[in-house]
Structures are given as C-alpha cells and as structure tokens.
Amino acid sequence: MKNKNPLYVVKGKDVQEAKDIFDLVIKKLNLEPVVQFIQNMLKMILENIKSYPTFLAMKNLLDELVVKYFGIVKKFGLA
C-alpha cells in the first residue's frame, strides 16, 4: 500500500485536511458557503419536480453542469 501525502489548508492558526485538490481549492478560497448554497438550491429544485417534462428539463440542466464541471477538471488536471 502506497502512502499518500495529505493535503492541508492553513488559515491563520487553523489547519484543515483536504480530501483532494478540489476540496483544497474550496477551503483555501473560502467557498464552502457558496457550495452549501448551491447544494440547497439544487435540493429545493429537485424536491419540487412534479411532472415528467420538468424532470427532463432538470435532467438536461444537470447533465450540462456535469459536462462543464468535468471539462474544467480535465482542463486544469484536477482529476
């Protein structure tokens, strides 16, 4: 088993361990509130889907977001 060097984010006197590069960037730039807001918005939208056409529209939107996310990840070599 190969040992990994853990990633750490240092903010003043606080030190936090990051799971991966993406988590490191989120913690370093203090984006946790933004990520939490996006998660809450998506949860609210998904809970209010009542019809199949609405489901398809939301599925297409989420598919686009995933494609864009993986495009950014591949572009910057984060995966």
Side-chain angles (χ1 to χ4, degrees), residues 60-77:
N60 290 335
L61 176 68
L62 290 175
D63 287 344
E64 285 182 40
L65 290 173
V66 167
V67 167
K68 287 180 183 178
Y69 166 73
F70 282 113
I72 290 171
V73 169
K74 287 179 184 176
K75 181 178 178 181
F76 292 107

Side-chain angles (χ1 to χ4, degrees), residues 16-32:
Q16 300 174 341
E17 187 172 356
K19 298 174 197 163
D20 53 22
I21 288 288
F22 194 67
D23 188 39
L24 177 93
V25 171
I26 288 174
K27 287 181 179 178
K28 189 69 176 175
L29 297 177
N30 228 5
L31 296 175
E32 291 102 345

